[in-house]
Amino acid sequence: MASPTRHNNRSLRRATDMLVAMMLALIVASACTEERKVDVAGKINPKGMPTMATRNISTLISDSGIVQYKIVAPLWKVFEESDTPYWSFPMGLYLEKFDPYFKVIATVAADSAKFFKNQKLWRLDGRVELTQVPKTLFQTEQLFWDQQRGILYSDSFIHIETETHVLEGIGFESDEKLRSYRVIHPQGIFPINSDHVQNP
């Protein structure tokens, strides 16, 4: 029969062996692990990151204390740290322009838009539509609106509908009130014949 002292010695030896094995495993594991330091701050480029991002906006913009525009957009990003500060509306933009009596006199819709803040220049891309009261429609794929010079212009194909005719061509220039405009390379003027409209 084994004495209690021998039994205790065996148990102590087993516990010691297990402890040594665990310590060896930890030493080997730590020796195989490489220390990696990630410089997160060094990888951030403030010029390419928005300083503000807002979703589902609907806001009024005033000039000299008079509300002139309403902007509606799913996403608005502001890049203030960029070399050329700008606003971005990558998911589309809808804008209303008001007269001094707060009546809508024109609307603008585009698939995406950018506003270059210092230049006060808008660039509208995609399906761009402008409407002007009472019934004038402008459609193009890209349109620039220079607020400093008070002009609209495009190098793209443009389709214009008025109450009396349809005008199409390449390139477009206009004052920002759309009162005086021209198509640079006209492709056709098509009168709207009201005789073809049948009453029910």
Side-chain angles (χ1 to χ4, degrees):
M1 181 175 175
S3 68
T5 307
R6 267 190 204 165
H7 182 69
N8 288 341
N9 286 343
R10 281 184 198 161
S11 296
L12 185 61
R13 214 177 278 150
R14 282 184 191 157
T16 305
D17 290 345
M18 285 180 65
L19 186 61
V20 169
M22 287 174 63
M23 288 179 65
L24 283 172
L26 285 171
I27 290 169
V28 170
S30 64
C32 293
T33 304
E34 292 181 14
E35 186 177 343
R36 292 185 182 179
K37 292 182 180 178
V38 180
D39 183 11
V40 176
K43 293 187 176 183
I44 293 174
N45 178 13
K47 293 183 179 181
M49 295 183 64
T51 51
M52 183 194 78
T54 307
R55 293 189 177 274
N56 301 319
I57 68 151
S58 178
T59 187
L60 299 173
I61 297 177
S62 61
D63 187 12
S64 303
I66 300 171
V67 174
Q68 294 195 359
Y69 307 102
K70 178 182 179 181
I71 292 179
V72 179
L75 179 61
W76 177 15
K77 292 183 177 182
V78 177
F79 293 83
E80 289 289 346
E81 300 299 321
S82 174
D83 291 333
T84 304
Y86 67 95
W87 302 348
S88 175
F89 302 88
M91 298 173 66
L93 171 75
Y94 176 75
L95 181 143
E96 291 179 342
K97 181 172 172 56
F98 303 110
D99 69 6
Y101 304 101
F102 210 63
K103 290 183 180 177
V104 176
I105 56 173
T107 65
V108 179
D111 288 341
S112 67
K114 281 187 178 179
F115 175 66
F116 299 95
K117 187 177 172 184
N118 294 344
Q119 295 85 352
K120 292 191 176 179
L121 176 68
W122 286 90
R123 190 184 82 195
L124 309 169
D125 294 295
R127 290 170 297 176
V128 182
E129 286 192 359
L130 282 80
T131 63
Q132 182 192 30
V133 174
K135 290 184 179 179
T136 305
L137 170 68
F138 300 82
Q139 294 176 317
T140 186
E141 293 179 355
Q142 187 178 66
L143 185 73
F144 292 90
W145 175 13
D146 188 331
Q147 290 183 300
Q148 284 186 332
R149 294 192 292 161
I151 62 170
L152 298 162
Y153 61 93
S154 174
D155 294 327
S156 303
F157 175 81
I158 189 153
H159 173 92
I160 302 170
E161 292 181 18
T162 71
E163 291 182 294
T164 59
H165 64 273
V166 172
L167 174 61
E168 292 183 340
I170 306 293
F172 170 76
E173 289 179 353
S174 173
D175 66 308
E176 65 181 357
K177 294 183 179 179
L178 298 171
R179 288 180 183 160
S180 175
Y181 60 84
R182 73 183 183 100
V183 174
I184 298 170
H185 301 290
Q187 295 180 340
I189 300 175
F190 313 99
I192 295 175
N193 190 347
S194 58
D195 294 341
H196 289 100
V197 180
Q198 297 180 356
N199 294 324

